Amino acid sequence: VGWTEDGVAVALLDQSRLPLEEVILRLEAAAEVAEAIRSLRVRGAPAIGVAAAYGVALGMSGAGDGWPTHLQSLLSLFRGTRPTGRNLFQVLERLEAVGAAMAGASGPEVARALRTEAERVREEDAVACRSIGEAGVKLLPPEGAVVLTHCNAGALATGGVGTALAPVYLARERGIPVEVVACEARPVLQGSRLTAWELMRAGVPVTLITDGMAGARMAVGGISAVVVGADRIAADGSTANKVGTYALALLAREHGIPFYVAAPATTVDLSIPDGRGIRVEERAPAEVRGFGGGGTAPPGVAVWNPAFDITPPELITAFITDGGVIRPPFAPGLHALASPVDRSRP
Ligand code: MRU
């Protein structure tokens, strides 16, 4: 996500067309950015936050005296895009605070400030990804690692090198032999379309399996760790991530494989005590009934299509975060990571 060369539109790689086509979209209105989020042209919790920040800044360009009302309607436009990922709401709260601190300023001044803030959101996410990588690489066996992952929690899903894939990229940088087993992530196939694509481009060996093959692959042996990303982490460590994650956590426990969740502080939601409070997005039945315009099920068959599931904290070995590795009990560590720092104190 970034600005187009002329600086008047948002440029975004259309992930819904990968791996067949690499198309950079030129989005000229906030509503187009919101649509891109809804239709998974940009996806992955941190990347959604970054895109929304750019979308709000874009929508505010040209704002006049009525900017406070306009800003509120932009914030609610983006709040209505996807409900589960915490990062989106964290970013919108941040942009709202920028506006609140500028009462009395002109529309163009606020628009400029929001543009700067959007760039900060992206830069800070890139730094957070790097820190996750630094913390995570220490958990991988230095003689060589095989990491099983789900969905896409790599560079495509963030403003940097990714969350779950950050330790993989850092291991590679440091000459540690590392390979990835990627689950395809039905129904939208972020694993096969995106994770396999970005790892192959980076020269990281990757083997694709269907989601149902994960147990068989673990039983064969040699998986060093399961590392996944997160869309929202409750105060007790309950983690919403791409549907299928919970089953992987159960399988990992059965096979004695460490199960790590890699995420920045911006994914943690201390206002939700446990997994029961996390709203899981349900998406259109068409995603399950077929793919790429072709049907894979009888038309009209009943479908349940939750985009995420919740992994309980007792199945998680540790969180790999931008504030370091957090081990059980998770509540104190997550609290310290995500609580706003009181900078007025020495
Ligand atoms: O529906 P998506 O593709 O937005 O879901 C993405 C995931 O579940 C990722 O694992 C999660 O956002 C972590 S991304 C760093």
Side-chain angles (χ1 to χ4, degrees):
V1 183
W3 299 109
T4 51
E5 254 172 46
D6 56 13
V8 298
V10 170
L12 193 138
L13 173 64
D14 187 346
Q15 298 188 32
S16 69
R17 289 158 83 166
L18 288 174
L20 300 179
E21 289 174 299
E22 283 175 49
V23 177
I24 306 284
L25 301 171
R26 179 186 169 89
L27 307 175
E28 296 187 350
E32 291 175 32
V33 181
E35 189 281 331
I37 294 172
R38 256 186 235 109
S39 58
L40 311 183
R41 296 181 199 286
V42 56
R43 33 61 54 205
I48 291 170
V50 173
Y54 277 75
V56 171
L58 175 69
M60 283 297 284
S61 46
D65 286 349
W67 69 261
T69 317
H70 186 51
L71 176 58
Q72 283 308 323
S73 70
L74 286 168
L75 295 172
S76 56
L77 169 71
F78 283 95
R79 270 187 214 114
T81 51
R82 296 194 69 195
T84 303
R86 165 67 190 148
N87 311 59
L88 166 68
F89 296 88
Q90 196 269 348
V91 166
L92 297 176
E93 284 157 19
R94 197 171 151 168
L95 301 179
E96 188 168 24
V98 170
M102 292 187 78
S106 71
E109 280 167 342
V110 179
R112 258 196 309 279
L114 289 170
R115 229 175 139 107
T116 307
E117 196 67 8
E119 263 142 52
R120 261 192 220 133
V121 166
R122 180 165 56 91
E123 284 159 16
E124 286 174 19
D125 190 53
V127 171
C129 288
R130 196 89 207 153
S131 306
I132 289 169
E134 299 277 355
V137 74
K138 298 193 189 96
L139 299 174
L140 300 179
E143 65 281 4
V146 182
V147 171
L148 188 145
T149 192
H150 190 54
C151 192
N152 174 265
L156 287 168
T158 64
V161 291
T163 54
L165 295 188
V168 169
Y169 287 127
L170 258 84
R172 175 103 183 152
E173 250 175 62
R174 292 178 186 179
I176 299 170
V178 61
E179 58 183 272
V180 172
V181 175
C183 295
E184 68 176 351
R186 276 282 290 152
V188 184
L189 305 179
Q190 291 92 333
S192 54
R193 292 187 305 103
L194 308 177
T195 298
W197 180 82
E198 76 162 79
L199 288 173
M200 285 176 81
R201 274 171 67 112
V204 177
V206 53
T207 303
L208 180 64
I209 59 171
T210 68
D211 300 345
M213 294 172 188
R217 181 60 191 83
M218 288 188 204
V220 166
I223 302 287
S224 327
V226 177
V227 188
V228 296
D231 293 86
R232 194 180 290 249
I233 300 166
D236 72 339
S238 301
T239 294
N241 191 51
K242 181 54 57 198
V243 68
T245 301
Y246 170 46
L248 288 178
L250 286 165
L251 284 169
R253 157 163 301 187
E254 184 63 25
H255 289 90
I257 297 168
F259 183 90
Y260 298 118
V261 174
T266 47
T267 306
V268 178
D269 186 352
L270 297 175
S271 76
I272 294 184
D274 57 46
R276 287 169 301 181
I278 300 180
R279 190 173 149 208
V280 172
E281 175 185 7
E282 286 199 28
R283 295 190 58 88
E287 286 182 353
V288 178
R289 289 195 193 119
F291 192 80
T296 55
V301 66
V303 160
W304 181 52
N305 185 18
F308 305 98
D309 60 22
I310 312 289
T311 300
E314 53 280 12
L315 295 178
I316 298 170
T317 308
F319 287 91
I320 306 171
T321 77
D322 45 339
V325 175
I326 300 175
R327 292 191 182 272
F330 297 126
L334 291 173
H335 191 85
L337 177 73
S339 302
V341 184
D342 183 353
R343 294 185 204 284
S344 63
R345 295 194 193 169

